[in-house]
Amino acid sequence: MARHGGRGWYGRMVAAALGVTVAAAATSVWSAQAGQTGGGSAGRGAPARSTAPAAAPVSAVIAHASDRGEHAVNITIDDGPDPVWTPRVLQVLRDNGVKATFCMVGTQAEAHPDLVRQVVAAGHRLCDHTVSHDTTMDTKPPAYQSQQIVDAERQITKASGGVRPMYYRAPGGAFTPYSRKLAASHGMRPLGWNVDSKDFERPGTDAVVATVKRELANGPTILFHDAGGDRSQTVAALGTLLPWLKQQGYAFGFPLR
């Protein structure tokens, strides 16, 4: 799995809450997902539930397969939420009736809790992508890895209103045996990818589409991004790829837990 660089933008981003009102019907979705992940629904601005039951441990083996079987794909979206691009990604997913897994950076989730709740309300799943997206964290001490993973889990859970992330994706694939076991002990399955769309490099929409089509034989989990700069090519590529995948007979699922 390739490492993705150029992530210093995280430290430069200004935290600003986005005034998005989530429909009241979302409450039932939050409750259902909270039941899966050991959290619960809560009102806006509610503190993280430190007394919530611990999530059940899961496998520490890096997941790639889809829960919908062999002829299925898992759409995964990294690095957000972002106030410009996450709503546009959500819209193209909604237009195509597709659910995805959003691998969120803790500081971004903390800055944009309404977007985190929008993601949950739409039936998508959450994934812990660490506090600060340090792609060298596999070279750092266990205490640092723990802080990055556990603090991000707390930030995302608080921002969502009590819904825990179900997966952990190491920045740039920088997993270690320790980080995988730690995440799994918190109920977060380590999550890899099979197809890197290369959308982060902004090679052009056609190039992103061609890369996914070419690499799809590698496996079902496809990596896209909704933050880190201009993601218009990602939105456009998803608008082309999702209908095409349906035409090819693919189902859309979530990574195995």
Side-chain angles (χ1 to χ4, degrees):
M1 294 184 290
R3 293 181 184 269
H4 298 279
R7 303 307 176 89
W9 62 275
Y10 284 112
R12 298 193 297 271
M13 292 192 71
V14 178
L18 181 67
V20 177
T21 301
V22 179
T27 302
S28 60
V29 181
W30 293 342
S31 300
Q33 290 207 9
Q36 294 174 350
T37 58
S41 62
R44 179 177 177 178
R49 296 192 174 188
S50 58
T51 58
V58 294
S59 171
V61 176
I62 297 174
H64 295 90
S66 175
D67 63 3
R68 293 293 302 276
E70 292 186 3
H71 202 61
V73 294
N74 305 319
I75 304 298
T76 65
I77 314 289
D78 282 20
D79 297 358
D82 178 271
V84 174
W85 301 108
T86 301
R88 299 186 190 187
V89 169
L90 285 171
Q91 185 62 55
V92 74
L93 291 169
R94 186 181 305 117
D95 291 344
N96 288 277
V98 171
K99 306 303 181 187
T101 300
F102 283 76
C103 299
M104 296 186 175
V105 173
T107 51
Q108 292 298 106
E110 194 169 57
H112 307 291
D114 290 327
L115 281 178
V116 180
R117 297 183 188 200
Q118 254 197 316
V119 167
V120 172
H124 307 292
R125 288 186 179 179
L126 302 177
C127 171
D128 179 333
H129 204 35
T130 74
V131 172
S132 59
H133 202 284
D134 181 355
T135 58
T136 67
M137 64 180 292
D138 55 340
T139 68
K140 305 294 177 60
Y144 175 85
Q145 297 178 49
S146 177
Q147 176 266 324
Q148 285 284 311
I149 296 167
V150 175
D151 282 4
E153 178 192 19
R154 174 185 54 78
Q155 290 170 316
I156 294 165
T157 301
K158 179 178 179 180
S160 73
V163 179
R164 298 177 185 271
M166 300 177 72
Y167 307 93
Y168 163 65
R169 174 172 276 167
F175 288 102
T176 65
Y178 173 81
S179 68
R180 290 191 291 105
K181 291 176 183 177
L182 175 66
S185 74
H186 282 245
M188 298 184 292
R189 180 76 185 263
L191 176 59
W193 64 83
N194 306 104
V195 180
D196 183 350
S197 69
K198 303 292 186 183
D199 64 330
F200 193 83
E201 299 174 5
R202 287 182 286 179
T205 299
D206 291 345
V208 174
V209 170
T211 295
V212 172
K213 290 182 178 181
R214 183 177 65 250
E215 302 296 330
L216 193 56
N218 293 339
T221 301
I222 310 174
L223 171 63
F224 297 97
H225 297 83
D226 63 341
D230 183 343
R231 300 271 68 88
S232 56
Q233 293 178 12
T234 301
V235 175
L238 285 168
T240 297
L241 284 165
L242 298 181
W244 178 83
L245 287 163
K246 288 184 178 181
Q247 291 169 3
Q248 304 307 304
Y250 284 94
F252 294 88
F254 293 112
L256 284 180
R257 289 256 299 150

